[in-house]
Amino acid sequence: MKTPASIAGHPIHPMLVPIAIGGFVLSFAFDVVCFASGTPPPNMWSQIAYYTMIGGIVGALVAVVPGFIDMLSLSSGPVKTTALTHMAINLTLVALYIVNAYMRHVSPQNLNFPMLLSVVALCMLVVSGWLGGKMVFEAGVGVSNRS
């Protein structure tokens, strides 16, 4: 089921999604390194975590546009319901990351609650990624019919 937001038959949304995922996962990894370093935040690792999170947010917001275009092209039914759930989870987790980044900006020395937000958002990201995979592998969304 070919989607309208594509270049030369390749869907754009899945090309952009790894930027957001990478930013969010790296941000959490740098938070773990920050705590393991024994140096209280703010330190180099917490700053890198903050900026990779910002990169993830920007990547997610860019990926929203072709994802939304593709979602609008789906006909009503179970696949569209899955797409709407996927979108709702992603918008919620991006909102969590925006709040997370704001909290880090305002109070960079206190990462306890922001790190908890990161864990919750990463769990949501796993569910959303599973739903995205379900649309591709079970319903063929974004898959060209060409051999």
mmCIF file of all heavy atoms in Angstrom, residues 107-145:
data_model
loop_
_atom_site.group_PDB
_atom_site.id
_atom_site.type_symbol
_atom_site.label_atom_id
_atom_site.label_comp_id
_atom_site.label_asym_id
_atom_site.label_seq_id
_atom_site.Cartn_x
_atom_site.Cartn_y
_atom_site.Cartn_z
ATOM 1 N N SER A 107 16.071 23.745 35.518
ATOM 2 C CA SER A 107 16.756 23.230 36.703
ATOM 3 C C SER A 107 17.710 22.095 36.313
ATOM 4 O O SER A 107 17.420 20.926 36.562
ATOM 5 C CB SER A 107 15.706 22.747 37.709
ATOM 6 O OG SER A 107 16.304 22.280 38.871
ATOM 7 N N PRO A 108 18.851 22.433 35.695
ATOM 8 C CA PRO A 108 19.750 21.390 35.182
ATOM 9 C C PRO A 108 20.402 20.529 36.262
ATOM 10 O O PRO A 108 20.912 19.453 35.964
ATOM 11 C CB PRO A 108 20.806 22.169 34.394
ATOM 12 C CG PRO A 108 20.753 23.545 34.928
ATOM 13 C CD PRO A 108 19.357 23.769 35.433
ATOM 14 N N GLN A 109 20.367 20.967 37.506
ATOM 15 C CA GLN A 109 20.995 20.192 38.581
ATOM 16 C C GLN A 109 20.090 19.075 39.101
ATOM 17 O O GLN A 109 20.547 18.190 39.797
ATOM 18 C CB GLN A 109 21.438 21.105 39.737
ATOM 19 C CG GLN A 109 20.315 21.729 40.535
ATOM 20 C CD GLN A 109 19.670 22.940 39.838
ATOM 21 O OE1 GLN A 109 20.078 23.379 38.778
ATOM 22 N NE2 GLN A 109 18.638 23.469 40.469
ATOM 23 N N ASN A 110 18.814 19.095 38.745
ATOM 24 C CA ASN A 110 17.872 18.097 39.240
ATOM 25 C C ASN A 110 17.357 17.250 38.071
ATOM 26 O O ASN A 110 16.468 17.673 37.343
ATOM 27 C CB ASN A 110 16.713 18.775 39.967
ATOM 28 C CG ASN A 110 15.784 17.769 40.608
ATOM 29 O OD1 ASN A 110 16.052 16.569 40.595
ATOM 30 N ND2 ASN A 110 14.697 18.249 41.154
ATOM 31 N N LEU A 111 17.914 16.065 37.906
ATOM 32 C CA LEU A 111 17.531 15.201 36.785
ATOM 33 C C LEU A 111 16.662 14.016 37.186
ATOM 34 O O LEU A 111 16.321 13.199 36.336
ATOM 35 C CB LEU A 111 18.789 14.679 36.083
ATOM 36 C CG LEU A 111 19.640 15.697 35.353
ATOM 37 C CD1 LEU A 111 20.792 15.008 34.642
ATOM 38 C CD2 LEU A 111 18.818 16.494 34.360
ATOM 39 N N ASN A 112 16.279 13.911 38.446
ATOM 40 C CA ASN A 112 15.532 12.728 38.884
ATOM 41 C C ASN A 112 14.193 12.588 38.165
ATOM 42 O O ASN A 112 13.908 11.551 37.569
ATOM 43 C CB ASN A 112 15.328 12.752 40.397
ATOM 44 C CG ASN A 112 16.634 12.586 41.145
ATOM 45 O OD1 ASN A 112 17.564 11.964 40.639
ATOM 46 N ND2 ASN A 112 16.719 13.170 42.324
ATOM 47 N N PHE A 113 13.358 13.614 38.211
ATOM 48 C CA PHE A 113 12.052 13.524 37.556
ATOM 49 C C PHE A 113 12.184 13.528 36.032
ATOM 50 O O PHE A 113 11.505 12.730 35.363
ATOM 51 C CB PHE A 113 11.109 14.634 38.040
ATOM 52 C CG PHE A 113 9.704 14.448 37.554
ATOM 53 C CD1 PHE A 113 8.933 13.388 38.013
ATOM 54 C CD2 PHE A 113 9.160 15.307 36.622
ATOM 55 C CE1 PHE A 113 7.636 13.193 37.547
ATOM 56 C CE2 PHE A 113 7.862 15.125 36.154
ATOM 57 C CZ PHE A 113 7.101 14.070 36.618
ATOM 58 N N PRO A 114 13.058 14.376 35.450
ATOM 59 C CA PRO A 114 13.233 14.294 33.998
ATOM 60 C C PRO A 114 13.673 12.904 33.522
ATOM 61 O O PRO A 114 13.235 12.433 32.471
ATOM 62 C CB PRO A 114 14.299 15.352 33.698
ATOM 63 C CG PRO A 114 14.107 16.369 34.764
ATOM 64 C CD PRO A 114 13.746 15.551 35.992
ATOM 65 N N MET A 115 14.515 12.243 34.304
ATOM 66 C CA MET A 115 14.951 10.905 33.897
ATOM 67 C C MET A 115 13.778 9.915 33.967
ATOM 68 O O MET A 115 13.660 9.035 33.106
ATOM 69 C CB MET A 115 16.113 10.433 34.751
ATOM 70 C CG MET A 115 16.856 9.300 34.116
ATOM 71 S SD MET A 115 18.480 9.150 34.821
ATOM 72 C CE MET A 115 18.979 7.615 34.116
ATOM 73 N N LEU A 116 12.912 10.067 34.948
ATOM 74 C CA LEU A 116 11.711 9.237 35.032
ATOM 75 C C LEU A 116 10.820 9.483 33.809
ATOM 76 O O LEU A 116 10.285 8.534 33.223
ATOM 77 C CB LEU A 116 10.943 9.521 36.323
ATOM 78 C CG LEU A 116 9.626 8.773 36.490
ATOM 79 C CD1 LEU A 116 9.866 7.270 36.575
ATOM 80 C CD2 LEU A 116 8.886 9.267 37.727
ATOM 81 N N LEU A 117 10.689 10.748 33.409
ATOM 82 C CA LEU A 117 9.917 11.062 32.197
ATOM 83 C C LEU A 117 10.525 10.371 30.981
ATOM 84 O O LEU A 117 9.806 9.879 30.111
ATOM 85 C CB LEU A 117 9.867 12.572 31.961
ATOM 86 C CG LEU A 117 8.950 13.399 32.841
ATOM 87 C CD1 LEU A 117 9.059 14.878 32.485
ATOM 88 C CD2 LEU A 117 7.513 12.930 32.729
ATOM 89 N N SER A 118 11.858 10.336 30.917
ATOM 90 C CA SER A 118 12.532 9.668 29.801
ATOM 91 C C SER A 118 12.209 8.182 29.778
ATOM 92 O O SER A 118 11.967 7.610 28.706
ATOM 93 C CB SER A 118 14.046 9.861 29.892
ATOM 94 O OG SER A 118 14.402 11.195 29.651
ATOM 95 N N VAL A 119 12.199 7.539 30.931
ATOM 96 C CA VAL A 119 11.883 6.108 30.997
ATOM 97 C C VAL A 119 10.453 5.860 30.516
ATOM 98 O O VAL A 119 10.205 4.955 29.709
ATOM 99 C CB VAL A 119 12.099 5.558 32.425
ATOM 100 C CG1 VAL A 119 11.542 4.145 32.564
ATOM 101 C CG2 VAL A 119 13.567 5.597 32.802
ATOM 102 N N VAL A 120 9.509 6.675 30.984
ATOM 103 C CA VAL A 120 8.108 6.522 30.577
ATOM 104 C C VAL A 120 7.976 6.735 29.072
ATOM 105 O O VAL A 120 7.333 5.940 28.367
ATOM 106 C CB VAL A 120 7.200 7.506 31.356
ATOM 107 C CG1 VAL A 120 5.801 7.539 30.767
ATOM 108 C CG2 VAL A 120 7.162 7.139 32.830
ATOM 109 N N ALA A 121 8.619 7.790 28.562
ATOM 110 C CA ALA A 121 8.527 8.090 27.134
ATOM 111 C C ALA A 121 9.179 6.998 26.291
ATOM 112 O O ALA A 121 8.663 6.651 25.223
ATOM 113 C CB ALA A 121 9.148 9.453 26.846
ATOM 114 N N LEU A 122 10.301 6.449 26.757
ATOM 115 C CA LEU A 122 10.938 5.359 26.004
ATOM 116 C C LEU A 122 10.053 4.113 25.971
ATOM 117 O O LEU A 122 10.000 3.417 24.948
ATOM 118 C CB LEU A 122 12.311 5.031 26.593
ATOM 119 C CG LEU A 122 13.428 6.016 26.260
ATOM 120 C CD1 LEU A 122 14.700 5.652 27.012
ATOM 121 C CD2 LEU A 122 13.682 6.084 24.767
ATOM 122 N N CYS A 123 9.357 3.834 27.048
ATOM 123 C CA CYS A 123 8.413 2.706 27.057
ATOM 124 C C CYS A 123 7.290 2.952 26.044
ATOM 125 O O CYS A 123 6.885 2.037 25.308
ATOM 126 C CB CYS A 123 7.851 2.480 28.450
ATOM 127 S SG CYS A 123 9.057 1.835 29.622
ATOM 128 N N MET A 124 6.816 4.189 26.000
ATOM 129 C CA MET A 124 5.789 4.544 25.017
ATOM 130 C C MET A 124 6.331 4.418 23.592
ATOM 131 O O MET A 124 5.621 3.998 22.679
ATOM 132 C CB MET A 124 5.280 5.963 25.274
ATOM 133 C CG MET A 124 4.511 6.118 26.564
ATOM 134 S SD MET A 124 4.128 7.841 26.929
ATOM 135 C CE MET A 124 2.899 8.161 25.685
ATOM 136 N N LEU A 125 7.589 4.768 23.411
ATOM 137 C CA LEU A 125 8.229 4.676 22.105
ATOM 138 C C LEU A 125 8.289 3.227 21.625
ATOM 139 O O LEU A 125 8.092 2.946 20.436
ATOM 140 C CB LEU A 125 9.632 5.279 22.179
ATOM 141 C CG LEU A 125 10.396 5.454 20.883
ATOM 142 C CD1 LEU A 125 9.674 6.403 19.941
ATOM 143 C CD2 LEU A 125 11.789 5.985 21.185
ATOM 144 N N VAL A 126 8.548 2.308 22.534
ATOM 145 C CA VAL A 126 8.575 0.881 22.177
ATOM 146 C C VAL A 126 7.189 0.446 21.685
ATOM 147 O O VAL A 126 7.074 -0.226 20.653
ATOM 148 C CB VAL A 126 9.039 0.024 23.379
ATOM 149 C CG1 VAL A 126 8.792 -1.456 23.133
ATOM 150 C CG2 VAL A 126 10.504 0.289 23.682
ATOM 151 N N VAL A 127 6.142 0.839 22.393
ATOM 152 C CA VAL A 127 4.774 0.471 21.991
ATOM 153 C C VAL A 127 4.442 1.096 20.638
ATOM 154 O O VAL A 127 3.917 0.432 19.735
ATOM 155 C CB VAL A 127 3.748 0.897 23.067
ATOM 156 C CG1 VAL A 127 2.327 0.685 22.580
ATOM 157 C CG2 VAL A 127 3.994 0.148 24.363
ATOM 158 N N SER A 128 4.781 2.362 20.473
ATOM 159 C CA SER A 128 4.501 3.049 19.222
ATOM 160 C C SER A 128 5.268 2.436 18.057
ATOM 161 O O SER A 128 4.733 2.287 16.955
ATOM 162 C CB SER A 128 4.853 4.535 19.359
ATOM 163 O OG SER A 128 4.670 5.171 18.129
ATOM 164 N N GLY A 129 6.527 2.083 18.296
ATOM 165 C CA GLY A 129 7.318 1.432 17.251
ATOM 166 C C GLY A 129 6.731 0.087 16.853
ATOM 167 O O GLY A 129 6.713 -0.280 15.675
ATOM 168 N N TRP A 130 6.231 -0.643 17.846
ATOM 169 C CA TRP A 130 5.580 -1.912 17.558
ATOM 170 C C TRP A 130 4.356 -1.689 16.674
ATOM 171 O O TRP A 130 4.132 -2.424 15.708
ATOM 172 C CB TRP A 130 5.203 -2.616 18.860
ATOM 173 C CG TRP A 130 4.496 -3.913 18.656
ATOM 174 C CD1 TRP A 130 5.041 -5.115 18.312
ATOM 175 C CD2 TRP A 130 3.088 -4.129 18.760
ATOM 176 N NE1 TRP A 130 4.055 -6.069 18.202
ATOM 177 C CE2 TRP A 130 2.853 -5.502 18.473
ATOM 178 C CE3 TRP A 130 2.004 -3.312 19.068
ATOM 179 C CZ2 TRP A 130 1.582 -6.043 18.485
ATOM 180 C CZ3 TRP A 130 0.742 -3.864 19.087
ATOM 181 C CH2 TRP A 130 0.539 -5.218 18.797
ATOM 182 N N LEU A 131 3.570 -0.651 16.983
ATOM 183 C CA LEU A 131 2.386 -0.347 16.168
ATOM 184 C C LEU A 131 2.788 0.067 14.754
ATOM 185 O O LEU A 131 2.132 -0.313 13.779
ATOM 186 C CB LEU A 131 1.549 0.756 16.825
ATOM 187 C CG LEU A 131 0.824 0.366 18.108
ATOM 188 C CD1 LEU A 131 0.195 1.595 18.762
ATOM 189 C CD2 LEU A 131 -0.209 -0.704 17.850
ATOM 190 N N GLY A 132 3.860 0.855 14.635
ATOM 191 C CA GLY A 132 4.352 1.231 13.310
ATOM 192 C C GLY A 132 4.786 0.008 12.516
ATOM 193 O O GLY A 132 4.466 -0.125 11.327
ATOM 194 N N GLY A 133 5.498 -0.899 13.165
ATOM 195 C CA GLY A 133 5.897 -2.141 12.505
ATOM 196 C C GLY A 133 4.705 -2.987 12.108
ATOM 197 O O GLY A 133 4.689 -3.614 11.039
ATOM 198 N N LYS A 134 3.705 -2.996 12.950
ATOM 199 C CA LYS A 134 2.475 -3.749 12.659
ATOM 200 C C LYS A 134 1.828 -3.217 11.380
ATOM 201 O O LYS A 134 1.395 -4.002 10.526
ATOM 202 C CB LYS A 134 1.518 -3.620 13.845
ATOM 203 C CG LYS A 134 0.183 -4.291 13.678
ATOM 204 C CD LYS A 134 -0.667 -4.066 14.927
ATOM 205 C CE LYS A 134 -2.082 -4.473 14.702
ATOM 206 N NZ LYS A 134 -2.419 -5.737 15.317
ATOM 207 N N MET A 135 1.806 -1.894 11.231
ATOM 208 C CA MET A 135 1.211 -1.318 10.019
ATOM 209 C C MET A 135 2.012 -1.706 8.777
ATOM 210 O O MET A 135 1.435 -2.003 7.733
ATOM 211 C CB MET A 135 1.116 0.203 10.137
ATOM 212 C CG MET A 135 0.030 0.664 11.081
ATOM 213 S SD MET A 135 -0.167 2.447 11.083
ATOM 214 C CE MET A 135 1.314 2.962 11.929
ATOM 215 N N VAL A 136 3.331 -1.707 8.890
ATOM 216 C CA VAL A 136 4.178 -2.029 7.737
ATOM 217 C C VAL A 136 4.128 -3.520 7.429
ATOM 218 O O VAL A 136 3.864 -3.931 6.293
ATOM 219 C CB VAL A 136 5.635 -1.581 7.977
ATOM 220 C CG1 VAL A 136 6.552 -2.109 6.883
ATOM 221 C CG2 VAL A 136 5.724 -0.074 8.076
ATOM 222 N N PHE A 137 4.380 -4.358 8.437
ATOM 223 C CA PHE A 137 4.554 -5.787 8.179
ATOM 224 C C PHE A 137 3.251 -6.554 8.055
ATOM 225 O O PHE A 137 3.210 -7.574 7.366
ATOM 226 C CB PHE A 137 5.450 -6.413 9.260
ATOM 227 C CG PHE A 137 6.853 -5.904 9.187
ATOM 228 C CD1 PHE A 137 7.330 -5.031 10.133
ATOM 229 C CD2 PHE A 137 7.689 -6.287 8.146
ATOM 230 C CE1 PHE A 137 8.627 -4.549 10.067
ATOM 231 C CE2 PHE A 137 8.984 -5.820 8.069
ATOM 232 C CZ PHE A 137 9.457 -4.937 9.021
ATOM 233 N N GLU A 138 2.181 -6.092 8.693
ATOM 234 C CA GLU A 138 0.908 -6.813 8.587
ATOM 235 C C GLU A 138 -0.012 -6.218 7.536
ATOM 236 O O GLU A 138 -0.729 -6.937 6.862
ATOM 237 C CB GLU A 138 0.197 -6.840 9.942
ATOM 238 C CG GLU A 138 0.893 -7.717 10.964
ATOM 239 C CD GLU A 138 0.166 -7.765 12.299
ATOM 240 O OE1 GLU A 138 -0.994 -7.306 12.387
ATOM 241 O OE2 GLU A 138 0.772 -8.262 13.261
ATOM 242 N N ALA A 139 -0.003 -4.879 7.392
ATOM 243 C CA ALA A 139 -0.923 -4.239 6.462
ATOM 244 C C ALA A 139 -0.222 -3.710 5.206
ATOM 245 O O ALA A 139 -0.873 -3.284 4.263
ATOM 246 C CB ALA A 139 -1.669 -3.099 7.159
ATOM 247 N N GLY A 140 1.126 -3.694 5.215
ATOM 248 C CA GLY A 140 1.860 -3.245 4.038
ATOM 249 C C GLY A 140 1.842 -1.743 3.822
ATOM 250 O O GLY A 140 2.074 -1.285 2.712
ATOM 251 N N VAL A 141 1.570 -0.973 4.866
ATOM 252 C CA VAL A 141 1.560 0.487 4.740
ATOM 253 C C VAL A 141 2.963 0.965 4.379
ATOM 254 O O VAL A 141 3.938 0.600 5.029
ATOM 255 C CB VAL A 141 1.073 1.156 6.047
ATOM 256 C CG1 VAL A 141 1.206 2.670 5.947
ATOM 257 C CG2 VAL A 141 -0.357 0.763 6.347
ATOM 258 N N GLY A 142 3.058 1.737 3.323
ATOM 259 C CA GLY A 142 4.352 2.259 2.874
ATOM 260 C C GLY A 142 5.163 1.284 2.048
ATOM 261 O O GLY A 142 6.271 1.579 1.649
ATOM 262 N N VAL A 143 4.582 0.118 1.754
ATOM 263 C CA VAL A 143 5.291 -0.895 0.983
ATOM 264 C C VAL A 143 4.798 -0.829 -0.464
ATOM 265 O O VAL A 143 3.599 -0.902 -0.724
ATOM 266 C CB VAL A 143 5.054 -2.321 1.567
ATOM 267 C CG1 VAL A 143 5.707 -3.374 0.700
ATOM 268 C CG2 VAL A 143 5.536 -2.386 2.983
ATOM 269 N N SER A 144 5.723 -0.677 -1.397
ATOM 270 C CA SER A 144 5.387 -0.610 -2.803
ATOM 271 C C SER A 144 4.972 -1.991 -3.299
ATOM 272 O O SER A 144 5.508 -3.017 -2.851
ATOM 273 C CB SER A 144 6.596 -0.102 -3.583
ATOM 274 O OG SER A 144 6.303 -0.110 -4.975
ATOM 275 N N ASN A 145 4.060 -2.024 -4.224
ATOM 276 C CA ASN A 145 3.594 -3.293 -4.781
ATOM 277 C C ASN A 145 4.495 -3.799 -5.898
ATOM 278 O O ASN A 145 4.271 -4.852 -6.446
ATOM 279 C CB ASN A 145 2.153 -3.161 -5.307
ATOM 280 C CG ASN A 145 1.185 -2.941 -4.178
ATOM 281 O OD1 ASN A 145 1.410 -3.385 -3.067
ATOM 282 N ND2 ASN A 145 0.102 -2.246 -4.456
#
